[in-house]
Structures are given as C-alpha cells and as structure tokens.
Amino acid sequence: MTEIKDTEIRILGSTTPSNHKSKRKNMIWLYGILLIIVAVAIGVIIGFYVNKKEQPTTEPLTDSAFEPTGQVALPHPFRVWIEHGLQQTGKGCLIKDTMVNDIPLVLKMPIGCKARLETGYECLKDTSKIVLLCQAADVRADNKKIVGAFVKEGKPLSWGLSKKGYCGIINDTISVGVAENSPLFEKATETGGYFFRQYPLVSNGMIVENELKTKSTRRALCEIEGAIVVIETQTRESLHDFSQALVDIGVRNAIYLVGSSSIAYYKDINGKSCASGEWKPQVYDNISFIIWE
C-alpha cells in the first residue's frame, strides 16, 4: 500500500461511473445539436421551394401591354339627347331611334307635361292635349280585372302582387322600380296619386328574368340618366333579349308596358302625332293607360 503523505488528499473509490455519466451527457448534447442543424436545413429547403411558387402580392394591377383591361369612363350614349330634352321649353315627345344588339329601338321622352293613369276608353276620344299614351297594367283574360295593385287618383281599384315591378306617380314625380312591398302604394292612396304593377325588366342596372318566353313587340317604362323614357322595339323580341338591350344602353330601372298590338299614341316636339296598335271599340272596362299631357 502506498503511504499517504500529510500534504496529500486522496479520494477513494472507482472513477468509472462518473466517466459514463459524462459521456452520456455529451452524447445527448451532440444529438440535440445535430437535430437542430437538420431541422434548420429542412426549413431552408422547404422555404426555397415554396418561394418558387406563385405568391400573393400587393402589387397594384396594371393593364396588359397587348390587351388593356382597365375600365374607361365613357360618356352615356344618350346623355346629350336627354339633356337636350330636359332643356326644351315646348311640349311634345322627343324621339330617338337606335340599334342595340341588332334590336331596333325607339326612345320616347315626354317633355313639358305631367303623367297620370286612366282607365277605360274615354281618354281616347280627345287626344289634343296628349303628348304620350301607352297601355299600363294588364287585364286578366278570365275575369277582365286589372292584374296587380292599381291606384287611380288616390283610390285603389285593384290589389295583389302577381308582378313585382311597379310605377308610382306621387306629386307629379314618376318612380319606377322592383319590390314586393312598395310604400308608394300607400303614398298614392294618401296623396291622390297613382300606382300600378307590371313585369319587372331591369332593377338597379341588372336584368330581371321573367317566365314569359314568347316573342312580341315590346315596350317598357324606363329610368335612364335620371329621366323617364318609354322604349319600344320595332321587332318581335323575348323579354330576356329586350331586358338585355335596356341594360346595355344604360337603363337603371324598367318595368314592362303592354306591348304587341296594344294601343299607343304620341305627339312629337314639332306637333306631329302618331297612333299605333288596335284602337278597337270598347272591349275591356278595366283597360288602363299611362298618359302624359
């Protein structure tokens, strides 16, 4: 046995277990570092391939050099015509012929007159004061009653909601639109005004589809550039094609007026008058007209 000197301190026991623990700790750190390195490498690789794909961008859209896509503010095709009509001091119907989608159209804008609704044929006996006249609401084939709600001089003559298009004439102001429940019906009854229902054609610049698929000459009461205009086709058209043509010329809202061979009359700004349709003897007691005079 080796003698221990007074100046020496000797630790007894084996050093083997401590060495094993130290090696184990070193291996754990080594594995941890390797895992971190591998994870970082995988992240870099994934990021590289992801960045190669198309990414969302906040870059503003621009027109193509070959096919510009930007919206160009074009003047309304009938704005000058409408403004000219609104500046007229005389009385009469301003007429405009045009072609839209191969459909010949006639635009009629009454100038310097007021609108009202009338029933029966009495109003046809004297047209000297009439500027524009068109049939308004439909008449049922079975009981010969007016189709839909109808108010004349504040008096309701018919009720119902078979058609969602409406026209209200309140205090000499015409409103055209599409709604299931319009407050203009009540206002018409309260103010001595007028109201009737018809097929809706255009609502807020969008086509309104209808179940009526036959073709016929068509007529509509339209709001266009803030003016009320009657627009007619010169050829037989479906309601869909007619509505599309109205949208394409900038009509904001439109409802149908009885077309085909229905009674119509106008007097232009120069005093020349023209009647159309079948002016038959009295057939329907509840026939109705919208009249500007």
Side-chain angles (χ1 to χ4, degrees):
M1 177 179 294
T2 305
E3 185 180 352
I4 300 175
K5 298 180 180 181
D6 295 337
T7 59
E8 293 179 344
I9 298 175
R10 182 170 297 180
I11 300 175
L12 300 177
S14 175
T15 60
T16 303
S18 297
N19 290 337
H20 288 169
K21 290 180 180 179
S22 177
K23 290 180 180 180
R24 189 178 297 113
K25 290 181 178 179
N26 290 339
M27 292 299 294
I28 291 173
W29 279 104
L30 179 61
Y31 290 146
I33 293 172
L34 288 175
L35 287 174
I36 293 172
I37 294 174
V38 171
V40 171
I42 292 173
V44 171
I45 294 171
I46 293 174
F48 173 77
Y49 283 103
V50 168
N51 289 333
K52 289 181 69 178
K53 296 180 180 179
E54 183 179 15
Q55 297 296 311
T57 178
T58 56
E59 182 182 358
L61 294 175
T62 58
D63 290 344
S64 165
F66 304 100
E67 297 183 10
T69 58
Q71 296 294 324
V72 180
L74 297 175
H76 191 280
F78 303 114
R79 182 173 298 164
V80 174
W81 176 75
I82 291 172
E83 291 176 351
H84 171 69
L86 296 177
Q87 294 170 0
Q88 291 287 326
T89 57
K91 295 181 180 180
C93 203
L94 201 64
I95 308 298
K96 176 72 174 180
D97 293 311
T98 189
M99 180 78 73
V100 180
N101 304 336
D102 295 327
I103 299 176
L105 300 177
V106 178
L107 284 68
K108 301 176 180 179
M109 184 168 66
I111 304 298
C113 49
K114 298 178 181 181
R116 64 183 176 90
L117 297 182
E118 190 56 82
T119 55
Y121 294 85
E122 189 67 26
C123 60
L124 303 180
K125 292 181 179 181
D126 182 8
T127 60
S128 59
K129 296 181 179 179
I130 295 178
V131 167
L132 179 60
L133 174 147
C134 304
Q135 283 185 228
D138 278 317
V139 175
R140 290 177 56 130
D142 52 2
N143 59 19
K144 307 300 187 292
K145 292 184 178 180
I146 296 174
V147 178
F150 192 97
V151 179
K152 174 186 172 183
E153 296 179 333
K155 181 181 179 181
L157 302 182
S158 178
W159 291 261
L161 183 61
S162 59
K163 301 174 182 179
K164 295 181 180 180
Y166 68 83
C167 168
I169 306 174
I170 312 296
N171 298 323
D172 298 326
T173 298
I174 302 179
S175 299
V176 178
V178 180
E180 290 189 359
N181 296 297
S182 172
L184 294 183
F185 179 86
E186 287 76 15
K187 287 185 178 180
T189 61
E190 295 169 358
T191 61
Y194 305 86
F195 183 92
F196 74 95
R197 289 278 186 179
Q198 257 295 357
Y199 288 112
L201 300 181
V202 180
S203 178
N204 294 319
M206 302 293 291
I207 290 178
V208 180
E209 295 292 352
N210 289 280
E211 295 181 359
L212 191 61
K213 304 301 181 182
T214 57
K215 289 189 175 184
S216 180
T217 53
R218 303 298 186 184
R219 182 179 293 124
L221 182 63
C222 308
E223 174 201 341
I224 178 172
E225 287 291 292
I228 297 297
V229 179
V230 171
I231 301 180
E232 304 172 355
T233 68
Q234 298 299 291
T235 52
R236 296 168 59 86
E237 304 294 339
S238 67
L239 279 187
H240 174 84
D241 291 344
F242 183 38
S243 298
Q244 183 64 64
L246 296 179
V247 169
D248 290 345
I249 64 174
V251 169
R252 183 67 177 169
N253 295 291
I255 64 171
Y256 192 57
L257 294 176
V258 181
S260 187
S261 59
S262 62
I263 297 171
Y265 172 90
Y266 75 88
K267 185 182 298 178
D268 68 17
I269 205 72
N270 299 315
K272 181 181 177 181
S273 60
C274 178
S276 60
E278 299 179 7
W279 291 56
K280 297 179 180 180
Q282 184 167 346
V283 177
Y284 302 106
D285 292 337
N286 290 309
I287 191 171
S288 64
F289 301 94
I290 180 169
I291 301 171
W292 287 263
E293 60 182 12

